[in-house]
Amino acid sequence: MSKEYETVIGLEVHVELATKTKIFCGCTTAFGGAPNTHTCPVCTGLPGSLPVLNKQVVEYAIAVGLATNCDITRYGKFDRKNYFYPDNPQNYQISQLYLPICTNGHVDIETEDGVKKSIGIHEIHMEEDAGKLVHDEWGDSSIVDFNRSGVPLIEIVSEPDMRSAAEVIAYLDKLRLTIQYLGASDCKLNEGSMRADVNISVREKGSDKFGTRTEMKNLNSFKAIEHAIKGETERQIDIIEAGGSVVQETRRWDDIKESSHAMRSKEDAKDYRYFPEPDLVPVVVSDEWIETIRSRQPEMRDEKIARYVSDYELPEYDAKILTSSRRMAGIFEAANELCKKPKKVSNWLMTETMRLMKETGTEADDLKFSPENLAKLIDMVDASEINGKVAKEVFEKIFAEDVDPAAYVKEHDLGAVNDDGALREVIKEVMEANPKAIEDYRGGKEKALGAIVGQTMKRMQGKANPGMINDILKELLG
Amino acid sequence: MANKIDDATIEYVGILAKLELSDEEKEESKKDLERMLDYVDELNELDTSGVEPMSHVFPVNNVFREDVVTNGDGSADTLKNAPESKDGGFVVPKTIV
Amino acid sequence: MSITELTALELGAKIKAGELSAVEAATEALAQIKKKEKDINAFVTVDEEGALKRAAEVQKRIDAGELKDSPIAGVPVGIKDNMCTEGLKTTCSSKILYNYIPTYTSTAVDKLEKAGAVMVGKTNMDEFAMGSTTETSHFGATKNPWNLNNVPGGSSGGSAAAVSAAEVPFALGSDTGGSIRQPCSYCGVTGIKPTYGTVSRYGLIAYGSSLDQIGPIAKNVSDCAAVLDIIAGKDQKDSTSMERELDFSAALVDDVKGLKIGIPKDYFGEGLNSEVSQKIMDAAKVLESKGAILEEFDLGLVKYAIPAYYVIACAEASSNLERFDGVKYGYRTEQYDGLHDMYKRTRSEGFGAEVKRRIMLGSFVLSSGYYDAYYLKALRVKALIKESFDKAFSKYDLILGPAAPTTAPEIGKSLSDPIQMYLGDIYTVSLNLAGLPGVSTPCGLDSKGLPVGLQLTADCFKEKNIIRAAYAYECTGEFQPSPVACV
C-alpha cells in the first residue's frame, strides 16, 4: 500500500428516552412483557388512531441539546418517513426531518491516549422506535411484537469529525455519560437503549474532499464498533486500491462473522417521501421553557471532576473514575455527605468496589448498595468498632446484598475486641505455647512476632484490633 | 407542457406505493398520471415565490400529553383482527436483511 | 304523519315526552331501511339486533331520568362507514377492510351514543372517501332516492341517501373535499362541514388528515346544529382538535338583517349548470328580501383549488393508507412469495381503481425530486387560497354559492373521466384547504326533479353565520325536504 489513507467517521446515535410512556400514547415503555401487551390503537397503527406528543420527550430532547451545546429550534415540526416494513405498524415513522428540535452543537472529547477534540453535532431529532421482529428459526415466518413500537428516541447526528475508532468510542462515551447524568436515558449499548449507526468513508490523507460513505448498522458493543470501523476501512481501501469505487449503501455488521454485508433490495427504494405530519401540531419552544429546563440540569461530569479535585483534593485520575458513571458519582457524593471523609469513600470505591465489580462482572450503573451503608462502614472502622480485615468482609456483603453493616457485625459477632484484659490473657497463652518464637525475637528476629500476632488473631476469630495486639505484646516482652 | 411518464417511473412508484399493476393497469396509470400532472401544472401559472408552504391552517402549537401511563394490557384488542397470529404476535413472511 | 318523516329534533321531543319509545323509533327506522335498502343501498351494515339492544338501553336511561339535556336521546342515526365503531364492522367500503371490526369507538360516535343516539348501521361511501358518487364502494353503488338512476353524490353518499330516503332522521358524514356538502346537495338534505378541528378526528379512518372533518347530515339546519352541539369539542386524543366556542343551536334565529353576503362572480362561470345557477340566485334573493345585503365580488384562484387539493389529499392519502398491508387487520392475499409480494398483492387486490389512482399520484408527488415542484407548490397555493378567503371575510359575513355545478349525474357517467369528476368539487374543496365551515342546504329542484344545494361559507369558527342564514332561508319554506321516492 503506497498511499496513506484516513478514515472519516460520522455517527447517528439513537437513544431511547427514559420516559414512563411512549412518545405518542399512554402505553408503558417498560422492558419485557409478553408480546403486544404494551400496545394500544395508536402504537399499533389501528385505522383512525392519532398520535399525541408526550411533553417529557421534548423536555429530554431539549435537555440533551443544551448539554451538547446545540441551538434549540424555536419552531419545530414532525414529519412522516414512509417505508414499508412489518416492525413499523403504520408503514411510516413519525420523525423530524425539516425542523429538528436541536441543531448545530458540539461535544469535547478526550481519547484514551489523551487526544482532545471537539466533535460537531449536526442535529438531534425526536422520533418513534419500531417494534420487534422475532424470526422463526425453523419456519418461514417471523412474529411481530409492537411492545417497543412508539418508544421515544432521540437521534443524535454528528458531523463527520471523527478519524478513528478511539475517537468514536470517546465520543459515544461522552454522549452516554452526558445523557445518563441528565437522567434522559440509561444508554446501554448492549440492551439497545443506545444504538450507533456508523458512517464511514476513506480518503487520501491531506485531501479536503470526502470519499463515498457507507452506513454500518447493527453495532451492539464498543468492540463491534471498533472491529467494524477497522474492517470497513480496509474494505474501502482495498476497493480504491484495486481501482474501483465505493458504493454508497447501508451495510449490516455481523458480530459472529466479524464482517459486514450490503443491505440491498429492489423493494427497498430508500425514497422516504418525507412530508409534514398533519396529525401533530408544531412544537414552539419559548425562552422561559428553555430556562426552566436549563435550571433543572444537573452538574455534569466535567464540572464534577473539577470540583472533586479542588474541594476534596482527589487526584484527577480518581475523580474521573468516580464520575465515569452517574451511579458511582452519586454513591460517592451521598456517602461523603454522611461521613465527610471524601478520601476514604473514594478509596473504598476505587479499590474494593472496583475489584468486586470486576469479579462479578457488574457495571457501575448496576451497583445496588446504598451510600448510607458504605458511610456507616467507614465510620465503624474509624471508631475501631471493626478491624480492616473484617471491614472488607462486611463490604462484600454490602456490595452483594446492601446489608446494614452495624446489624450484620452484631448478628455475626464480628465486632473488634477492644477489651485489654481479655486480649492480654490470650496473648500470654499464645506466648507460652510458642517459646521458640519468643526466643527468636529476643535473638533479634523482629519478624518472629508475626506468628504470635497471627495466632492471637486466629484465637480471637479475627476480631481483635491488630494495633492493640502489637502494643500489648511489646509491653509484655518488655 | 405535456408530462411524460415512462415505464421505469410507473415501476418505481409501484415499488414505493407497494402496488402491483397489471400491464393494462400500468398503461392506464401512466395516462392517468400524465393527465393529472398536466392538470396540476396549472399551479405553475401562479407566482408563489416568497409564499411560505402552509401545512397547518391554524396556528395551534404545543399540544402535549403528560408522561403518565394510561393504558393496560392491550394485546387481545391489538391482535383481534390479525389475519394470522401466533404466540401473541402477528405472523409475517420471514424477513431477514 | 309517519315517524320516519319526523326530523331528529321532532322525534327526540316525542321520545322525551313519552309519546314514543326509543325502541319504537329504532323499530320504525329498521322497517323503513328494510323497505328501502334493496333500491337505495345506503348501508354497508345494518345492525338490527345491536340497534334494538342499544335502543332498549337508552330507553332505560331515559326512564331513569337521565339524558334530560339531550335533544336526540333515542333518535336513530346512521354512521358513515369510515368511523370506527367498537364491535361493529367498519369497512370504509373497501375490500381491504371487508372484515374489520374495530376495538374502539371514534370520539364523535362515542359522544352521540353518550347523548343517547341509537346507531342503526354503517352507511355506504366511496372507497376510503375517494370519490364524488359513492360508486367506488366495494359493496355496490348507492342510489339517489330522488331518482334511482342517479348517483347520491359522494363520498358520504350513503349517509345523505339514508336521510333523504327517511331511513334515519340524521347521519354522520365526513368531508375532505366536499364529501358532506355535495351529496347533501344531490340528495336534497342539509349537511355541515365544520371548521377544521371542531369535531375530533379520533377514530375517523383518515383520507387527507389535514382536510378531513366529520359533520352532521339531516333533514334541516336545526337538526344539524343540534348534532354539532353534541359532537364538537376539544378531544385530548386529537392534537388538531380545538378549544372553541360551541353552542351552535343558539344561532337558529330567523333574522338575516344586515348580514353581508358575498357572491363570488367567478363561481358563476363556465361549467355551472344554468338551472343550478338560477336556483342559487333565487335563494340569494330570498335572503336579500329578508334583509341580507348581497354583493358580487371576485374571490380569485377558484380554478387552482382543485389541483392543489388533489396533490395534498393524495399525498396524505398515500401515506395514510400505507398501514393497510395485510399484517395487522383486514384483507390479506392468499398466495404470495415473501413479504413484499404479500404487501403488493394484498394492496393491489384490496384497493379499488380510484384508490390506487390516488395512491399512485400521492406517492409520485412526494417522491424524491418532485416534492418541491408538486407538494410544496400545492401548500403554497393553499396559503394563497386561504389569503383570498381572509380578504373576502374581511368584507363579508358569509359567501354564497352552489355546492356543486350540477345536480346528481346518472350512475355510470362519472368515473371514466377523473378530471371531469374532480371538477365537480370546484366549489367545495377550497373550504377544506382553508379549513372553513360550510353548509349545503336544499334550494329547489331542477327540471329533472333533482335537488339543488345552496352552499354557504363563513370564516373559520363562524359556523353561527351560516347556520343563521341557512335557518332563515329554511324558515321561508321554499323547499320541502321530501323526495318523492321516500314517502
Side-chain angles (χ1 to χ4, degrees):
Chain A
M1 195 169 81
S2 50
K3 293 176 194 152
E4 221 186 316
Y5 289 90
E6 109 178 316
T7 315
V8 175
I9 309 163
L11 257 62
E12 291 165 18
V13 179
H14 287 90
V15 174
E16 274 186 4
L17 297 177
T19 53
K20 293 184 198 75
T21 63
K22 294 184 177 181
I23 183 168
F24 299 124
C25 64
C27 288
T28 176
T29 54
F31 256 104
N36 290 304
T37 48
H38 304 163
T39 60
C40 75
V42 176
C43 58
T44 56
L46 291 195
S49 66
L50 295 170
V52 184
L53 180 58
N54 182 341
K55 189 176 186 184
Q56 186 63 52
V57 172
V58 183
E59 301 212 330
Y60 277 148
I62 292 173
V64 174
L66 292 174
T68 53
N69 310 295
C70 287
D71 299 332
I72 307 302
T73 305
R74 298 315 185 88
Y75 182 83
K77 281 184 182 178
F78 283 89
D79 303 292
R80 286 191 190 171
K81 178 181 182 179
N82 298 282
Y83 66 96
F84 281 81
Y85 204 66
D87 62 6
N88 173 7
Q90 306 161 113
N91 288 319
Y92 59 79
Q93 180 195 31
I94 303 178
S95 180
Q96 295 189 294
L97 177 73
Y98 296 109
L99 293 167
I101 183 82
C102 312
T103 56
N104 194 29
H106 68 270
V107 292
D108 297 322
I109 62 160
E110 185 178 345
T111 66
E112 292 234 317
D113 314 334
V115 179
K116 291 185 179 178
K117 203 170 169 180
S118 176
I119 306 297
I121 290 176
H122 182 265
E123 67 172 69
I124 301 176
H125 62 252
M126 302 176 276
E127 61 186 26
E128 55 181 338
D129 205 351
K132 205 172 73 185
L133 277 173
V134 184
H135 304 294
D136 182 346
E137 289 262 1
W138 310 108
D140 54 1
S141 63
S142 303
I143 304 285
V144 194
D145 170 11
F146 289 124
N147 279 351
R148 304 309 292 165
S149 166
V151 168
L153 300 176
I154 49 172
E155 181 174 339
I156 305 166
V157 183
S158 84
E159 299 292 353
D161 288 347
M162 285 157 275
R163 298 290 176 268
S164 68
E167 289 179 15
V168 168
I169 287 164
Y171 169 74
L172 283 171
D173 223 31
K174 179 80 180 201
L175 284 184
R176 178 179 66 84
L177 282 164
T178 304
I179 295 167
Q180 277 181 350
Y181 268 83
L182 292 169
S185 173
D186 59 7
C187 288
K188 288 183 179 171
L189 217 51
N190 55 347
E191 286 180 13
S193 58
M194 185 176 192
R195 310 191 278 264
D197 298 338
V198 182
N199 290 307
I200 303 170
S201 65
V202 298
R203 65 179 173 191
E204 258 184 75
K205 217 167 183 155
S207 165
D208 56 358
K209 273 196 293 204
F210 291 124
T212 304
R213 66 166 198 268
T214 59
E215 182 182 356
M216 193 68 70
K217 284 189 181 290
N218 196 38
L219 301 167
N220 303 321
S221 66
F222 281 160
K223 196 188 101 213
I225 288 170
E226 213 174 310
H227 290 195
I229 289 172
K230 186 163 168 284
E232 183 58 14
T233 301
E234 283 167 7
R235 193 187 70 87
Q236 291 189 13
I237 291 173
D238 286 349
I239 291 172
I240 294 166
E241 290 278 301
S245 49
V246 175
V247 180
Q248 184 167 347
E249 63 190 1
T250 303
R251 302 179 66 82
R252 184 182 164 87
W253 180 252
D254 187 326
D255 229 359
I256 295 157
K257 290 188 195 148
E258 294 249 317
S259 67
S260 67
H261 61 267
M263 297 163 70
R264 250 181 308 191
S265 129
K266 186 174 86 80
E267 291 296 341
D268 187 19
K270 292 262 173 245
D271 184 345
Y272 295 125
R273 290 156 287 141
Y274 280 99
F275 73 102
E277 167 58 88
D279 290 332
L280 291 168
V281 299
V283 176
V284 174
V285 183
S286 65
D287 288 348
E288 294 75 41
W289 196 7
I290 291 180
E291 284 320 309
T292 308
I293 293 168
R294 200 194 299 278
S295 71
R296 289 198 300 240
Q297 302 278 76
E299 184 182 37
M300 302 302 286
R301 187 189 183 205
D302 292 347
E303 298 163 308
K304 274 198 201 299
I305 292 173
R307 185 164 61 88
Y308 289 6
V309 171
S310 70
D311 290 12
Y312 304 138
E313 293 170 353
L314 297 181
E316 188 176 313
Y317 175 79
D318 295 15
K320 278 185 179 166
I321 295 199
L322 291 174
T323 56
S324 65
S325 88
R326 191 189 185 203
R327 173 81 185 134
M328 181 81 95
I331 293 175
F332 170 75
E333 289 181 17
N336 182 45
E337 186 64 32
L338 293 165
C339 71
K340 312 281 183 209
K341 290 164 190 140
K343 289 203 173 152
K344 282 183 177 153
V345 177
S346 166
N347 204 33
W348 276 99
L349 293 172
M350 297 283 295
T351 52
E352 285 308 295
T353 307
M354 290 294 199
R355 177 178 69 82
L356 291 167
M357 278 167 58
K358 208 165 184 183
E359 280 175 20
T360 56
T362 307
E363 295 290 329
D365 294 328
D366 300 330
L367 288 175
K368 295 279 183 291
F369 67 87
S370 59
E372 289 77 13
N373 287 333
L374 174 58
K376 216 184 260 182
L377 182 74
I378 290 170
D379 282 340
M380 286 168 74
V381 174
D382 276 13
S384 296
E385 286 168 30
I386 49 170
N387 66 40
K389 188 166 159 288
V390 169
K392 285 185 188 176
E393 236 179 273
V394 175
F395 183 72
E396 289 193 16
K397 284 285 169 192
I398 294 178
F399 181 91
E401 297 161 31
D402 197 26
V403 297
D404 175 341
Y408 186 81
V409 163
K410 193 168 172 213
E411 190 188 330
H412 294 87
D413 195 18
L414 296 172
V417 178
N418 294 325
D419 174 349
D420 186 279
L423 189 56
R424 197 170 287 264
E425 280 311 302
V426 173
I427 293 172
K428 277 183 188 163
E429 284 172 34
V430 174
M431 283 170 69
E432 272 163 33
N434 291 279
K436 176 83 171 51
I438 305 295
E439 210 173 291
D440 288 350
Y441 171 76
R442 295 202 198 279
K445 280 191 185 170
E446 286 266 344
K447 283 184 181 166
L449 282 188
I452 307 282
V453 175
Q455 282 189 37
T456 304
M457 192 60 102
K458 197 170 171 189
R459 295 233 347 227
M460 298 299 293
Q461 290 154 317
K463 295 179 289 187
N465 180 336
M468 236 166 117
I469 299 179
N470 268 321
D471 291 349
I472 295 169
L473 192 54
K474 289 210 173 121
E475 186 198 314
L476 290 173
L477 289 168
Chain B
M1 277 258 289
N3 286 276
K4 264 293 176 232
I5 298 290
D6 57 18
D7 290 343
T9 304
I10 285 292
E11 193 74 30
Y12 178 73
V13 178
I15 287 170
L16 294 181
K18 295 287 174 242
L19 289 174
E20 187 171 62
L21 306 181
S22 68
D23 289 346
E24 207 176 308
E25 282 176 311
K26 270 182 203 161
E27 284 311 309
E28 190 73 18
S29 180
K30 257 199 266 184
K31 265 186 261 158
D32 258 354
L33 262 182
E34 285 169 0
R35 281 200 304 169
M36 273 310 285
L37 293 176
D38 285 349
Y39 182 42
V40 169
D41 280 344
E42 288 183 17
L43 296 179
N44 294 325
E45 295 165 14
L46 293 174
D47 180 7
T48 53
S49 49
V51 178
E52 222 15 67
M54 177 184 265
S55 41
H56 290 84
V57 183
F58 304 122
V60 176
N61 304 315
N62 292 1
V63 175
F64 299 121
R65 287 177 31 241
E66 293 304 317
D67 187 24
V68 178
V69 177
T70 53
N71 302 337
D73 179 354
S75 54
D77 278 355
T78 292
L79 290 162
K80 204 164 242 164
N81 283 284
E84 195 183 348
S85 66
K86 193 177 138 188
D87 304 333
F90 298 94
V91 177
V92 293
K94 198 168 188 171
T95 43
I96 294 181
V97 279
Chain C
M1 197 185 211
S2 140
I3 292 175
T4 56
E5 284 175 62
L6 300 175
T7 67
L9 289 176
E10 287 165 353
L11 183 56
K14 281 194 188 298
I15 294 169
K16 188 167 290 184
E19 293 171 36
L20 193 70
S21 76
V23 177
E24 284 169 300
T27 307
E28 280 297 321
L30 290 165
Q32 176 77 350
I33 288 169
K34 218 166 240 166
K35 199 166 98 194
K36 289 281 161 191
E37 267 307 271
K38 59 179 191 309
D39 289 336
I40 309 286
N41 192 35
F43 284 85
V44 175
T45 304
V46 177
D47 183 23
E48 188 169 348
E49 200 188 317
L52 293 172
K53 210 174 122 214
R54 284 187 287 272
E57 279 161 19
V58 167
Q59 189 58 49
K60 231 185 263 170
R61 286 165 69 196
I62 294 170
D63 294 343
E66 295 172 45
L67 297 170
K68 282 203 178 87
D69 297 332
S70 171
I72 55 156
V75 177
V77 59
I79 303 293
K80 188 176 180 180
D81 210 21
N82 59 354
M83 289 171 227
C84 288
T85 45
E86 185 180 343
L88 188 60
K89 211 168 63 177
T90 300
T91 68
C92 280
S93 289
S94 179
K95 179 177 175 184
I96 212 156
L97 284 177
Y98 75 106
N99 60 354
Y100 180 61
I101 299 176
T103 51
Y104 74 99
T105 295
S106 56
T107 300
V109 175
D110 190 50
K111 285 185 159 194
L112 277 185
E113 295 200 312
K114 287 210 167 86
V118 176
M119 176 173 64
V120 294
K122 304 297 291 289
T123 61
N124 202 8
M125 54 187 278
D126 281 299
E127 184 182 2
F128 282 101
M130 297 178 186
S132 316
T133 63
T134 314
E135 289 170 292
T136 70
S137 167
H138 176 65
F139 303 101
T142 296
K143 314 282 170 55
N144 191 318
W146 292 79
N147 187 331
L148 298 178
N149 295 319
N150 293 60
V151 303
S155 66
S156 310
S159 286
V163 173
S164 174
E167 294 178 310
V168 281
F170 79 105
L172 290 190
S174 71
D175 192 316
T176 308
S179 283
I180 287 175
R181 291 157 289 154
Q182 184 256 30
C184 282
S185 163
Y186 287 0
C187 291
V189 292
T190 299
I192 295 177
K193 175 205 110 65
T195 305
Y196 185 78
T198 298
V199 180
S200 168
R201 292 183 295 116
Y202 192 78
L204 170 69
I205 301 179
Y207 160 23
S209 313
S210 72
L211 309 162
D212 295 340
Q213 261 296 285
I214 291 173
I217 293 174
K219 286 174 182 156
N220 64 21
V221 184
S222 309
D223 280 5
C224 285
V227 173
L228 203 50
D229 283 339
I230 291 162
I231 62 175
K234 169 81 188 157
D235 179 11
Q236 298 301 332
K237 292 177 183 158
D238 176 1
S239 311
T240 62
S241 74
M242 275 182 293
E243 208 80 66
R244 54 159 298 185
E245 188 208 7
L246 302 169
D247 192 16
F248 301 101
S249 294
L252 294 167
V253 285
D254 183 11
D255 175 16
V256 289
K257 265 188 217 80
L259 206 66
K260 277 184 267 172
I261 299 177
I263 302 176
K265 277 186 274 186
D266 31 7
Y267 275 8
F268 291 82
E270 195 194 341
L272 178 62
N273 173 282
S274 61
E275 285 188 71
V276 171
S277 177
Q278 192 51 53
K279 292 286 171 200
I280 299 302
M281 289 319 291
D282 290 350
K285 298 254 166 56
V286 168
L287 288 171
E288 190 177 34
S289 72
K290 299 189 88 171
I293 301 155
L294 302 186
E295 192 176 303
E296 291 194 346
F297 76 109
D298 282 314
L299 177 62
L301 303 175
V302 172
K303 75 164 185 163
Y304 300 106
I306 297 175
Y309 167 82
Y310 276 93
V311 169
I312 294 166
C314 293
E316 290 179 6
S318 74
S319 175
N320 284 331
L321 270 57
E322 282 164 350
R323 69 189 66 204
F324 304 104
D325 61 1
V327 173
K328 298 153 302 250
Y329 33 73
Y331 175 77
R332 176 191 281 202
T333 185
E334 276 165 22
Q335 301 246 317
Y336 49 88
D337 178 21
L339 178 71
H340 289 279
D341 190 49
M342 184 200 80
Y343 283 157
K344 284 183 153 184
R345 284 174 190 261
T346 295
R347 290 166 59 79
S348 301
E349 293 161 17
F351 291 133
E354 184 61 27
V355 172
K356 284 192 255 189
R357 175 187 280 157
R358 296 193 195 194
I359 290 176
M360 289 294 282
L361 176 67
S363 301
F364 179 83
V365 298
L366 289 176
S367 70
S368 173
Y370 298 100
Y371 179 78
D372 286 18
Y374 290 112
Y375 188 71
L376 284 189
K377 179 79 187 181
L379 290 186
R380 290 192 168 97
V381 171
K382 173 181 167 180
L384 293 180
I385 289 170
K386 174 93 169 81
E387 222 176 84
S388 68
F389 274 111
D390 285 347
K391 221 166 73 192
F393 287 120
S394 69
K395 287 201 286 196
Y396 308 113
D397 297 314
L398 47 91
I399 291 173
L400 178 152
T406 63
T407 53
E410 282 173 36
I411 289 170
K413 295 272 168 75
S414 303
L415 292 180
S416 56
D417 185 350
I419 290 175
Q420 200 51 46
M421 180 171 82
Y422 301 163
L423 279 171
D425 302 338
I426 189 151
Y427 306 119
T428 47
V429 290
S430 53
L431 275 67
N432 300 77
L433 289 174
L436 306 171
V439 62
S440 174
T441 200
C443 64
L445 302 178
D446 70 1
S447 53
K448 289 176 277 184
L450 292 170
V452 176
L454 169 72
Q455 178 176 252
L456 300 169
T457 307
D459 201 359
C460 296
F461 312 112
K462 298 280 177 62
E463 278 83 354
K464 285 187 173 175
N465 288 354
I466 56 175
I467 289 170
R468 186 176 144 201
Y471 180 72
Y473 177 76
E474 196 176 277
C475 284
T476 62
E478 291 287 322
F479 179 83
Q480 295 301 323
S482 50
V484 206
C486 80
V487 185

